[in-house]
Amino acid sequence: MMSDWLTAIESGTQASVLVTVALVEGSGPREPGAKMRVTLDGQVDTIGGGHLELRAVEIAKTMLATGDTHARLERFALGPSLGQCCGGVVHLAFEPVDTSLAAVLSALRERRQLDSWKVTALDGTAASALFDADGKLIAGTPGQAPDTFSRERSTHVAQGSEGRRWLVDPCLAPRAHLTLFGAGHVGAAIVRALAHLPCNVTWVDEREDMFSVAFPAELPDNVRIAATDTPEEFVAMAPPGGSFLVMTHSHALDQRLTQAIMAREDAGWFGLIGSHTKRKQFEHRLQARGVPDERIAAMVCPIGMPGIRSKVPAVIAASVACQLLMVWEEAASAALAAPLRLASASAPPRRPARAAIHLL
């Protein structure tokens, strides 16, 4: 789910500057790609707090007060100049939200569940563009962005053959997906715990009224509900490598869902609410149905972090959220270890990648 920096301020209603962590050398308070929006009245989101954030807010507000419309890249040595204990060097990009960037951000809001790449000129005439995974221009001015850039890298600064610097900022849809079966007290607490985390949740229950009881006003943006008499269908519909969490009102339904999940060889993490006794019962039934021992051993039951024993729904939810974050971050790290390739960023004609851009 995109952060508040994108959704909290409607483009055109209030002048703002988008501040992005473009590069981190050594240790820094936030990772490349972290963002905040600054207006004359305040800010939304954070790039890590401390003196760095204070200075960034001061610079952004000065840009707004003076009408400075040029994007810029600023370098901050955290130890020597700001007295922060991180000790690294952080490069921040400052982007005034002009008409072009406002159009890019508006398009990005509509693409929160799709991969996008935002490209902004840090030198010369203001220019911003948004591309999809196929290199198609979604918003912005055609022909101004570099012809190619590294799609697999995280947020970084690239330099075109003409010497102009560009901020290349992947705005990727959440890779983590949880299919959650059960809309009881614990299920609702887990949805709340995951509401502001980078994941998507498909929340399944046979009882449609349970969703409105749990969330009478509004569901979190990253949650989709499914009221169905055949919840097993949503096991098959889940993405490859997706996570599953089973906690329905019925042990018999839990058993059917467990068997369906076990039948998917590409299923990711699987958690089943229950005691050690319930686990033993399910193990025997699964073994009797010929489920391989290694698949059964991978089933997480009881759920939650070791040492946390409380059965309060909010505590269980916090514990399970930590457990899921560990699984998802490990998966994300493995994905980042894949070989890098240059990917096309704009429509033809295209220059050779070596001539078009040099990655910093």
Side-chain angles (χ1 to χ4, degrees):
M1 183 176 63
M2 291 292 184
S3 302
D4 286 341
W5 65 267
L6 181 62
T7 58
I9 302 174
E10 285 293 334
S11 298
T13 61
Q14 194 174 13
S16 64
V17 173
L18 177 61
V19 183
T20 303
V21 178
L23 178 67
V24 178
E25 302 170 24
S27 179
R30 288 292 303 274
E31 69 286 350
K35 298 176 181 65
M36 67 178 180
R37 288 275 287 279
V38 180
T39 68
L40 284 174
D41 298 328
Q43 70 183 81
V44 178
D45 258 314
T46 177
I47 56 168
H51 199 182
L52 173 66
E53 184 162 298
L54 178 64
R55 284 288 297 122
V57 170
E58 290 174 349
I59 292 171
K61 287 189 174 183
T62 298
M63 293 173 68
L64 291 169
T66 60
D68 186 350
T69 60
H70 293 89
R72 65 176 67 177
L73 186 69
E74 299 281 352
R75 179 184 183 275
F76 300 88
L78 300 181
S81 62
L82 298 179
Q84 291 192 208
C85 60
C86 296
V89 175
V90 175
H91 299 252
L92 299 180
F94 293 81
E95 301 173 72
V97 182
D98 57 8
T99 303
S100 175
L101 182 55
V104 166
L105 297 183
S106 178
L108 189 56
R109 278 196 297 272
E110 300 299 319
R111 293 178 53 84
R112 282 176 291 178
Q113 300 303 321
L114 298 170
D115 289 347
S116 305
W117 281 261
K118 182 175 70 69
V119 182
T120 299
L122 298 173
D123 306 303
T125 305
S128 298
L130 188 71
F131 298 93
D132 68 10
D134 296 322
K136 178 184 176 182
L137 181 72
I138 301 300
T141 307
Q144 289 188 322
D147 287 335
T148 57
F149 58 82
S150 177
R151 189 170 55 182
E152 282 76 14
R153 289 185 66 183
S154 62
T155 300
H156 62 284
V157 176
Q159 186 172 7
S161 57
E162 75 288 355
R164 198 177 188 189
R165 295 176 302 169
W166 297 83
L167 176 68
V168 180
D169 187 19
C171 299
L172 306 181
R175 271 19 184 196
H177 183 275
L178 174 68
T179 304
L180 170 61
F181 296 95
H185 294 298
V186 178
I190 287 174
V191 169
R192 293 189 188 95
L194 299 177
H196 298 289
L197 299 182
C199 64
N200 286 315
V201 179
T202 300
W203 194 14
V204 185
D205 199 287
E206 296 174 306
R207 305 159 297 172
E208 186 172 2
D209 60 309
M210 293 298 292
F211 298 116
S212 58
V213 170
F215 287 88
E218 187 176 354
L219 277 170
D221 289 340
N222 63 340
V223 178
R224 300 293 178 268
I225 62 173
T228 175
D229 293 331
T230 54
E232 295 95 329
E233 292 180 356
F234 285 85
V235 174
M237 293 166 57
S243 302
F244 296 92
L245 188 53
V246 174
M247 46 179 60
T248 77
H249 61 290
S250 164
H251 273 218
L253 179 55
D254 284 357
Q255 179 72 42
R256 298 204 313 268
L257 290 168
T258 297
Q259 290 172 208
I261 294 167
M262 291 289 182
R264 279 200 60 168
E265 295 183 359
D266 61 351
W269 183 90
F270 165 44
L272 171 69
I273 197 168
S275 63
H276 289 285
T277 300
K278 180 177 180 178
R279 180 188 180 94
K280 290 296 183 184
Q281 292 174 346
F282 274 52
E283 284 181 347
H284 291 317
R285 294 169 186 169
L286 292 170
Q287 288 169 346
R289 287 168 172 79
V291 177
D293 289 342
E294 60 271 17
R295 295 283 290 127
I296 297 174
M299 178 178 68
V300 178
C301 180
I303 55 174
M305 301 296 291
I308 298 180
R309 299 180 179 85
S310 173
K311 296 182 180 180
V312 174
V315 176
I316 296 174
S319 180
V320 171
C322 289
Q323 199 168 29
L324 286 168
L325 283 173
M326 292 175 66
V327 171
W328 292 338
E329 289 203 1
E330 183 177 354
S333 297
L336 287 175
L340 300 182
R341 300 183 305 276
L342 285 178
S344 174
S346 62
R350 295 166 179 162
R351 290 172 289 176
R354 188 174 300 172
I357 198 166
H358 303 286
L359 302 178
L360 297 181

